[in-house]
Amino acid sequence: MTLLSRTSIRSWMVASTVLVATVATPFSAVHAETPPDTLVQAWQIDDIISLDPAEIFEVSSWEIATNTYERLIKFDAKDASKIYGDVAESWTVSGDGLTYTFKIREGKKFASGNPLTAEDVVFSLRRSISLDKSPAFIIGQLGLDKSNAQEKIKQTGPFELTVTVDKPYAPTLVLYCLTAPVASIVDKQLVKQHESGDDLGYNWLKTHYAGSGPFSIRDWKANEAVVLERNPYYVKAAPLARVIYRHIKETATQRLLLEKGDVDIARNLSPEEIEAVSKNPDIKIDEGPSGTIYYLGLNQKNPNLARPEVREALKWLVDYSAIADTIMKYKGEVHQTFLPEGYLGAINENPYKLDVAKAKELLAKAGLKDGFTITMDTRSTPDISSIAQAMQATFAQVGIKLEIIPGDNKQTLTKYRARQHDIYIGTWGSDYPDPNSNAGMFAKNDDNSDNAKAKPLAWRNAWDPGALTVKTRAAVMERDAEKRAQMYSELQEAVLKDGPYVIFLQEIQVIAERKAVDGFFIGLDTNSVAQAKKN
C-alpha cells in the first residue's frame, strides 16, 4: 500500500524525513513547510493495531475512528452530560424501558458514495457483537450477544431500526454505549464486497476504511503514519483536504519539527519543552481536560492498608498541588474523585492536601505511630517515577518507608491484576463516557474471592464496597437523569471518604501548535479535527 501518492505531499514528507535524520545539521539546512490544506501532527501512534471499529480500543485509533466514522449518538466533547443524535435524527424509548427506536437521517452517504440507511446501522451493530473483539463488551453489557443480536437489533423501515435491551437500564447508559467506536456505522455494501469466508470483512477492514465521517482513512503504515482525506459526501465539509498523523517517538524531534514548521502540531512534548516553545511567537499552546485520572490503588490484603485510618492518612500524605504544579505541569490538575470533571454526576471536591500532622494522628489511632514499610509498583516512565519519588518523600515524614518497584507497563499491570501489589500507581480512562464506566470499577465488587469472574478495580484492591455495590447497580437502572446524577455524586463522596484509592489528578491534554492552526478540538473522550483549519 503506497503511503502517499500526491507529488507535493510526497516531496514534503521526504524533506521532513531528512530533517529528522539530520538533527545535528543546522536548522537552515533543511526546511519543508507543510502544505496549506494539510494538517500534520507529530504523535506517538505505535499503539494502533487495527482500523476496524469493531476492534479499536487504543488511544490513537480511538481518535482516528472519531474523525472518520459516525455513530447513532454523540455527546458534547466538552460536557459529556449532553447527548445528541449523530446519524440518528431522533429516538424514543418504549414504556417498559427495553426497546429503543431510532430514526435515521435521510440523505447521508458513506465516503464510497453509497447511501447510509438503517440496514447499514443494523449490520454494523450486529457485526461488532458477532466479531466479539475486546470493546464488544461495551454494547454487550446491554444483554446483546451472538445468540440474540439478530432478534434484538432489527430494521423496521428504510430509515428506522430498533434495539431491544434485556433490562430497563437508564437511557443515558444505553445511549452512551452507542457513542463508542465499537458502535460505529460501516458501509455494509463495501464491507460485504471484501468478506473472506464468514469474517464479515474483518481481515480487510483491519487496514482499510468503510465509514461516513468528516474524513476517510486513505492510508496507514504501522509505526509511521496515518493519512486522512476529506470525505466529499460528509454533510459539513471539513476545511482541510487532509490530516496526517506522523509517528514521532522522540519528543525532542517533535519539538524540532514543530519549530521548523515541518509539522503543525506536537502532541507529546514534556513540560520543559512546552515551556520553551511557548516563548516562540510562531507557536501557541492549547489544552483541555481528558477523561483520564491518576490514582493509587491500596491492596486491602495488606493488613496495614486495610485499616481505615491508614487509608485516610495516605490521602493526607500527598502533596497534590506540588505534583500538579511541577512534575505534572501542563499535564494534570488536582482531582480527587473517581468521575472526571465533565461527566454526568461528577463532583469537583478536593478536600485533601498535604497535612503531615493529621496523618500522624491517624496513624497513631491505627496503632502505627512509628510508621511501617510498604511497596509501590511503578511504571518506568519519567512522570510516574517522579510522582512516586515525591510520595516516597512525603510518606517518609511520618515514618512510612516506601519501596518503589519499577517495571514496564505489562509487568506492573500483570501484578496489579493478580492482586499481588501493596500500592499500585497508575491511570484509569473510561471505556465509554457514562458514569457507570468508572463507578462500576471503583465502587462495585460483586465477588471479592480470588477466583471471581468479574475483576473491577475494587476487586484488584481486594475491597468489598458493601452497600456501594448495590447502589452502583441501582444507579445503572435509574431512568431519571437528575436522580441518576445525584446517585453518582453520593457514590463519589463515599469512595472519596473510605475507598482504597488515593485519586490525585485528572489528566490535561496539552498540544503545541503553529499559530496558523485553528479549530483543533480537545475533548474529554478524544479529539476532533473535523473543523480544524490553517489561517
Side-chain angles (χ1 to χ4, degrees):
M1 179 161 59
T2 302
L3 182 61
L4 287 169
S5 59
R6 299 177 189 273
T7 303
S8 61
I9 304 298
R10 184 190 297 278
S11 299
W12 164 77
M13 285 284 282
V14 170
S16 184
T17 301
V18 170
L19 175 62
V20 175
T22 57
V23 173
T25 302
F27 279 179
S28 59
V30 181
H31 178 58
E33 186 174 333
T34 63
D37 63 352
T38 301
L39 182 74
V40 184
Q41 302 183 56
W43 196 23
Q44 296 172 7
I45 57 170
D46 53 350
D47 59 338
I48 300 175
I49 61 171
S50 174
L51 298 179
D52 189 334
E55 188 173 29
I56 285 172
F57 213 30
E58 293 71 40
V59 172
S60 300
S61 48
W62 193 290
E63 178 172 322
I64 289 165
T66 296
N67 288 286
T68 55
Y69 282 92
E70 293 183 289
R71 297 136 203 181
L72 283 170
I73 305 295
K74 291 187 77 171
F75 60 91
D76 189 317
K78 290 292 187 184
D79 183 354
S81 66
K82 297 177 181 177
I83 300 173
Y84 61 94
D86 189 12
V87 168
E89 182 177 85
S90 61
W91 63 90
T92 58
V93 186
S94 61
D96 61 6
L98 297 179
T99 300
Y100 291 71
T101 300
F102 296 95
K103 183 179 179 182
I104 304 304
R105 299 183 194 275
E106 297 186 31
K108 294 187 71 66
K109 288 185 178 182
F110 288 101
S112 66
N114 293 331
L116 192 163
T117 69
E119 183 178 1
D120 297 290
V121 181
V122 169
F123 171 77
S124 301
L125 295 177
R126 288 176 176 175
R127 178 180 182 273
S128 287
I129 292 167
S130 297
L131 289 175
D132 198 24
K133 300 300 179 182
S134 295
F137 82 91
I138 295 174
I139 48 179
Q141 67 183 316
L142 304 175
L144 302 170
D145 57 37
K146 294 180 182 180
S147 69
N148 64 25
Q150 299 293 318
E151 173 193 352
K152 300 293 186 182
I153 304 172
K154 293 181 178 179
Q155 182 179 355
T156 53
F159 295 96
E160 188 177 279
L161 71 141
T162 60
V163 177
T164 302
V165 298
D166 62 337
K167 297 176 183 177
Y169 299 106
T172 44
L173 171 68
V174 177
L175 297 174
Y176 278 126
C177 289
L178 294 176
T179 69
V182 71
S184 296
I185 300 162
V186 300
D187 185 336
K188 178 182 178 180
Q189 182 179 333
L190 186 59
V191 171
K192 295 289 281 185
Q193 288 173 1
H194 293 90
E195 275 188 317
S196 177
D198 60 354
D199 77 341
L200 296 172
Y202 168 69
N203 287 306
W204 178 78
L205 203 51
K206 279 178 68 75
T207 56
H208 291 81
Y209 173 71
S212 60
F215 288 92
S216 61
I217 303 173
R218 178 182 176 86
D219 291 291
W220 168 42
K221 192 166 186 179
N223 298 334
E224 191 168 316
V226 176
V227 181
L228 310 185
E229 286 205 339
R230 182 196 291 134
N231 174 7
Y233 296 105
Y234 189 65
V235 64
K236 187 176 182 180
L240 292 166
R242 66 191 60 81
V243 174
I244 300 174
Y245 294 87
R246 292 192 57 195
H247 175 56
I248 306 294
K249 184 177 180 180
E250 298 298 330
T251 64
T253 305
Q254 287 192 17
R255 176 186 171 185
L256 173 63
L257 292 172
L258 178 69
E259 291 182 320
K260 287 296 296 175
D262 297 286
V263 301
D264 302 299
I265 294 176
R267 300 279 295 269
N268 302 108
L269 300 187
S270 68
E272 293 78 16
E273 288 163 335
I274 292 169
E275 188 78 40
V277 299
S278 68
K279 299 172 184 176
N280 186 325
D282 295 324
I283 295 172
K284 57 185 178 180
I285 306 299
D286 194 11
E287 67 177 45
S290 81
T292 297
I293 58 176
Y294 288 73
Y295 74 103
L296 302 182
L298 313 176
N299 194 342
Q300 299 303 282
K301 286 191 171 186
N302 182 297
N304 289 334
L305 297 178
R307 304 183 192 197
E309 298 89 353
V310 173
R311 293 199 298 269
E312 187 178 356
L314 294 183
K315 294 172 185 179
W316 292 106
L317 283 173
V318 173
D319 196 341
Y320 302 88
S321 297
I323 291 172
D325 294 341
T326 56
I327 300 168
M328 295 299 289
K329 187 176 182 180
Y330 300 116
K331 289 187 174 184
E333 60 185 7
V334 177
H335 186 83
Q336 297 176 358
T337 53
F338 67 71
L339 280 184
E341 187 176 351
Y343 280 44
L344 178 70
I347 59 175
N348 192 21
E349 293 188 13
N350 302 311
Y352 297 105
K353 61 182 179 180
L354 180 62
D355 191 329
V356 175
K358 197 173 190 74
K360 284 183 176 179
E361 181 183 335
L362 287 163
L363 289 177
K365 286 182 180 178
L368 295 167
K369 66 180 181 66
D370 296 323
F372 53 91
T373 299
I374 202 80
T375 63
M376 178 187 287
D377 288 283
T378 306
R379 186 180 179 187
S380 296
T381 60
D383 52 353
I384 294 295
S385 296
S386 296
I387 292 170
Q389 290 165 8
M391 292 180 178
Q392 184 182 51
T394 51
F395 284 15
Q397 294 182 46
V398 295
I400 297 177
K401 298 176 182 178
L402 180 64
E403 178 188 349
I404 296 173
I405 303 176
D408 62 30
N409 195 37
K410 183 178 179 180
Q411 291 171 324
T412 57
L413 268 179
T414 298
K415 190 174 179 181
Y416 184 41
R417 288 169 176 167
R419 309 208 286 190
Q420 295 175 350
H421 64 293
D422 284 336
I423 300 176
Y424 169 83
I425 181 171
T427 61
W428 180 259
S430 305
D431 292 318
Y432 50 97
D434 185 84
N436 182 64
S437 182
N438 279 23
M441 296 300 292
F442 285 89
K444 180 172 173 282
N445 186 5
D446 291 300
D447 180 0
N448 201 34
S449 64
D450 286 340
N451 59 354
K453 182 177 180 180
K455 299 178 178 180
L457 298 185
W459 179 90
R460 291 185 194 179
N461 290 289
W463 183 49
D464 181 356
L468 296 187
T469 293
V470 177
K471 290 182 178 181
T472 301
R473 198 179 295 121
V476 170
M477 308 304 294
E478 178 53 61
R479 298 176 66 185
D480 184 298
E482 289 188 12
K483 290 181 180 178
R484 189 169 186 241
Q486 180 58 35
M487 294 172 80
Y488 285 110
S489 295
E490 293 171 0
L491 282 167
Q492 288 168 90
E493 293 275 10
V495 172
L496 176 64
K497 183 176 185 298
D498 192 49
Y501 319 103
V502 181
I503 301 169
F504 55 95
L505 289 180
Q506 179 171 346
E507 182 183 54
I508 299 295
Q509 289 190 71
V510 179
I511 66 166
E513 58 189 1
R514 301 289 297 180
K515 191 166 59 175
V517 176
D518 188 29
F520 181 93
F521 191 86
I522 299 175
L524 279 168
D525 182 55
T526 190
N527 307 314
S528 172
V529 293
Q531 295 305 311
K533 59 185 178 181
K534 293 164 72 173
N535 299 317

